[in-house]
Amino acid sequence: NKNIIDTTGQFLGRALTPKERGYGQEDKGQFGESGYIFAACGAAPVYRRKMLEDIKIGGEVFDSGFNAFFEDFDMGWRARMLGWEAYYVSGAVGWHVRGGSTDVGNAAGFLGKYKFPKKSSLTKKRIYVNYASAIYKNCPAGLLLIQLPFIALRHLLLSAYLLFTSPALLAANFDIIKNMKVLSQSRKYIQGRKTVSANDLRKWILK
């Protein structure tokens, strides 16, 4: 349905997940005003070359360790931390089938928005690991402490779901631990160059 919005820009959820503004809403012109956003969805963004060169870590713009899922969010958050801004242009329209290049399905509630229950085990693992990795690399300690109750609740609900449906996927925690050295190096670089504070980032959280 070309009248259903996929995204008008990425913002932060209270658990510091990427939140696509307007996702699933009928387009009634409610986002007709252009303006700054937290980051751009990776479906059809336009990036400045200078920005891409500036935010590279180890020669990479997108973290190859992510492979897929949250890689655009991770890169956009890093750019924000290093002083770059993202802008939503209401007249620029593209068509995006979310999840069209991966497995899809239908579900409702907490896990249903992006069809999590119907995804393959590999996709679930990437989502689980990449979310934690993006937060660890990019989030200032102050913001992490403020939002920790929401992050902990999300982790508890997702872990409980995996425990009863795909317990083997909980071993993904070991992947995070295994990658901690590389993640810590990236975090040190990003936090050492950051130009924004925890309070600056809080204004991008959508309730």
Side-chain angles (χ1 to χ4, degrees), residues 145-156:
L145 289 173
I146 293 171
Q147 302 303 128
L148 189 58
F150 301 103
I151 297 171
L153 177 60
R154 181 188 185 277
H155 184 74
L156 178 63

Side-chain angles (χ1 to χ4, degrees), residues 6 18 21 28 49 52 54 65 104 163 171 183 201:
D6 179 71
R21 186 181 63 178
K28 298 179 179 179
R49 180 182 293 274
L52 296 176
D54 182 56
V104 297
L163 180 63
L183 293 174
L201 295 176

